[in-house]
Amino acid sequence: MPDRIAPIVFLFAALAAFGTHGCSKSRQDQHAQELAARVRTEFLHAWNNYERYAWGHDALRPLSKTARDWYGQSLLMTPVDALDTLILMHLDAEAERTRSLIVSNLSFDRDIYAKNFEVTIRLLGGLLSSYQFTGDKRLLSLAEDLGNRLLPVFNSPTGLPYVYVNLRTGQTRGPVTNPAETGTLLLEFGTLSKLTGRPVFYEKAKRALVETFKRRSSLGLVGESINVETGAWTSTDSHISGGIDSYYEYLWKCWLLFGDTDCREMWEASIPAVNKYLADEVRRELWYGHADMQTGKRTNTTYGALDAFFPGLLALSGDVSRARRLQTSSFKVWNLHGIEPETLDYKTMRVVAGSYHLRPEIVESTYYLCHYTSDPEYQRMGEKIFGDFVKYCRAEAGYAALADVVTKQQLDEMESFALAETFKYFYLLFAPPETLQFDKVIFNTEAHPLKRTW
Ligand code: DMJ
């Protein structure tokens, strides 16, 4: 090899290795391996208690050791949401039992009004991802059946989806919704189209995303709530928090997963406004608050557990420097009481809503930053977060949300996303990179990895 070329080849090889091993992880990283094993053990503590006290139901109530079904009958929320985590952690016997429960017991032929958004991100996303991992066609059939039953939500004058649909009759309810619920559907519906060869799912979900985007203000911001029948905003408060958050996430991810240039263009037309009007500098720290979508005027200086997804999205879209700064702020929120509150005022650093629902967003962003920067700081950050999570949320029978991050009083609640997302992102942060090839998947907003197999 000529001398001039050798260093260049070496540079590319080094960069490739750097990219693959993000966060300096490797098979040889003993400490990270131990942490991954601890995460797996703690996940099993949550899972075994679900199996013991709530098997076949939507969720476990970890303090009363009882089961909870969202709609009075089970749609197997926890099993479907957790299956790909079981697979990734190589909990083979548990994964097999769960898959068998799902294919024999899950039926969507039910006279209940299901929430389209939650069912799409947890069940449709979970079924599709587990189908891609296992090749079990019965999971794809269940996903297609569910997709068919959800389709009536789009039968509004605007094409924006109603909030609820009766899974048996197709009747819809709930005309007042928000951008997260109208715009967080295309990864799942689009994947369903690609895997079944039926474009209808992609088209309906994409129209809902576009119709949301089209209603942005002249500043480029969207509001917090919208009527699907009139297409008018019913709240013009704009932010990146719950109710809007994953709308932005899907604008970018639908470009990545499907190569849909409309999605990239919508993202490019939106993100500058988010960075201009919602970003806020306080004490030389970066935060994202609220502003009115029409005037851009600051309406609120709150940030919280749900907003903490944004550093991950910024990193994924290439803005690592903002991502790092915002992650520092999220971590500051976490450390204020040793666990993050749902909402706080970043100007006064006072807690506004003090609960903690086992949310994954801060862990998700730590994982993305770990991948994109290879900075060991993020594994250390993850280790601290995990230690606190175990310390305060571990209960005798599973993991429990907190009613209040100051008193650390536990709540009788273990949402399925704790198993689908929070534990999965902790695990992936510490596990060897070959556990899941980061660049080969796009995570839906419920942490279900989707592969572009088409
Ligand atoms: C999850 O259902 C999803 O991550 C959603 O995008 C936001 N809320 C929860 C987790 O906090």
Side-chain angles (χ1 to χ4, degrees), residues 241 303-309 330 333 340-344 355-357 359-362:
S241 195
Y303 184 88
L306 285 160
D307 305 69
F309 84 103
S330 297
V333 176
E340 66 185 357
E342 185 76 349
T343 324
L344 115 164
S355 52
Y356 173 63
H357 296 276
R359 292 205 188 277
E361 286 77 4
I362 190 170

Side-chain angles (χ1 to χ4, degrees), residues 81 117-118 121-122 184 242 245-246 249 305-306 357-361 364 415 417 421-422 444-447:
D81 227 3
F117 166 76
E118 297 292 353
I121 65 172
R122 300 189 201 212
T184 314
D245 46 8
S246 44
E249 180 184 344
L306 285 160
H357 296 276
L358 305 175
R359 292 205 188 277
E361 286 77 4
E364 172 185 4
E415 279 278 357
F417 56 68
E421 298 193 69
T422 316
N444 88 333
T445 196
E446 190 78 1

Side-chain angles (χ1 to χ4, degrees), residues 80-277:
V80 176
D81 227 3
L83 179 53
D84 57 14
T85 309
L86 291 166
I87 294 171
L88 279 171
M89 290 186 181
H90 290 288
L91 293 165
D92 299 339
E94 288 81 358
E96 214 26 66
R97 270 202 298 282
T98 306
R99 179 153 63 119
S100 146
L101 172 78
I102 293 169
V103 296
S104 20
N105 286 26
L106 185 53
S107 163
F108 296 117
D109 182 20
R110 293 180 186 272
D111 188 11
I112 54 177
Y113 280 85
K115 195 165 191 192
N116 177 52
F117 166 76
E118 297 292 353
V119 162
T120 298
I121 65 172
R122 300 189 201 212
L123 296 183
L124 193 52
L127 288 168
L128 291 167
S129 159
S130 292
Y131 163 66
Q132 290 194 314
F133 275 116
T134 60
D136 186 336
K137 285 252 159 63
R138 293 168 298 179
L139 297 171
L140 181 60
S141 299
L142 280 164
E144 187 174 5
D145 180 43
L146 177 58
N148 288 334
R149 292 172 189 275
L150 294 176
L151 278 180
V153 292
F154 298 106
N155 297 340
S156 71
T158 58
L160 292 167
Y162 286 94
V163 179
Y164 300 97
V165 60
N166 185 304
L167 293 179
R168 181 169 293 159
T169 65
Q171 279 175 314
T172 52
R173 273 186 195 164
V176 179
T177 183
N178 60 52
E181 292 177 355
T182 60
T184 314
L185 307 167
L186 184 49
L187 285 183
E188 298 81 0
F189 278 76
T191 299
L192 186 58
S193 273
K194 301 290 181 190
L195 296 176
T196 58
R198 294 174 53 206
V200 61
F201 302 112
Y202 194 104
E203 287 163 9
K204 299 272 187 189
K206 177 157 176 201
R207 178 165 175 221
L209 185 62
V210 172
E211 291 293 330
T212 310
F213 171 76
K214 269 175 33 186
R215 289 173 171 78
R216 74 196 181 285
S217 69
S218 55
L219 302 180
L221 295 171
V222 292
E224 184 181 57
S225 102
I226 190 164
N227 186 308
V228 305
E229 288 170 350
T230 62
W233 293 103
T234 51
S235 163
T236 57
D237 198 31
S238 194
H239 49 78
I240 55 157
S241 195
I244 301 184
D245 46 8
S246 44
Y247 159 72
Y248 290 116
E249 180 184 344
Y250 275 32
L251 287 178
W252 184 248
K253 287 185 175 177
C254 289
W255 152 242
L256 296 183
L257 186 64
F258 303 119
D260 190 322
T261 51
D262 293 340
C263 295
R264 190 188 62 199
E265 282 163 22
M266 290 190 283
W267 164 266
E268 280 166 359
S270 302
I271 194 66
V274 171
N275 286 330
K276 181 166 176 191
Y277 297 104

Side-chain angles (χ1 to χ4, degrees), residues 393-413:
C393 302
R394 193 181 209 275
E396 192 191 304
Y399 268 75
L402 300 183
D404 180 18
V405 296
V406 181
T407 63
K408 314 290 190 295
Q409 192 203 328
Q410 293 188 336
L411 268 181
D412 200 10
E413 171 194 299

